[in-house]
Amino acid sequence: MSRTEEFEERRPLLFSIAYRILGSVSEAEDAVQEAWLRFEAAATPPDSIKAYLAAVVTRISINVLRSARVRREEYVGP
């Protein structure tokens, strides 16, 4: 299975993690895309792709929250 297929299989899980943390569809999609870029750039494949991607998207989402807090922005929407 290719890296793309491995990632796409886990995309719904990654999106749900990011959305629960961020509360914004667009920011969650951005976090998932950033996770894809980091996964694709990894020199060696991780032992557990699911764990690696979940950890990466969680860290990215937390960093987005921290930067939003610094900018004193809040998401206003559904």
Side-chain angles (χ1 to χ4, degrees):
M1 189 179 284
S2 72
R3 280 189 170 202
T4 303
E5 292 169 337
E6 293 275 357
F7 183 83
E8 289 301 325
E9 185 178 298
R10 290 161 179 83
R11 183 181 283 274
L13 170 67
L14 301 175
F15 178 81
S16 68
I17 292 169
Y19 183 74
R20 285 184 202 140
I21 294 171
L22 297 168
S24 164
V25 171
S26 63
E27 287 183 343
E29 289 173 348
D30 289 346
V32 171
Q33 280 303 110
E34 179 67 26
W36 163 248
L37 294 174
R38 291 185 188 186
F39 178 60
E40 188 65 17
T44 58
D47 292 333
S48 171
I49 293 171
K50 182 179 177 182
Y52 172 80
L53 289 172
V56 168
V57 82
T58 299
R59 289 184 195 128
I60 291 168
S61 299
I62 290 170
N63 288 341
V64 169
L65 282 180
R66 287 181 179 157
S67 69
R69 194 174 308 137
V70 168
R71 294 183 312 222
R72 300 193 189 280
E73 292 179 358
E74 289 186 22
Y75 176 71
V76 180

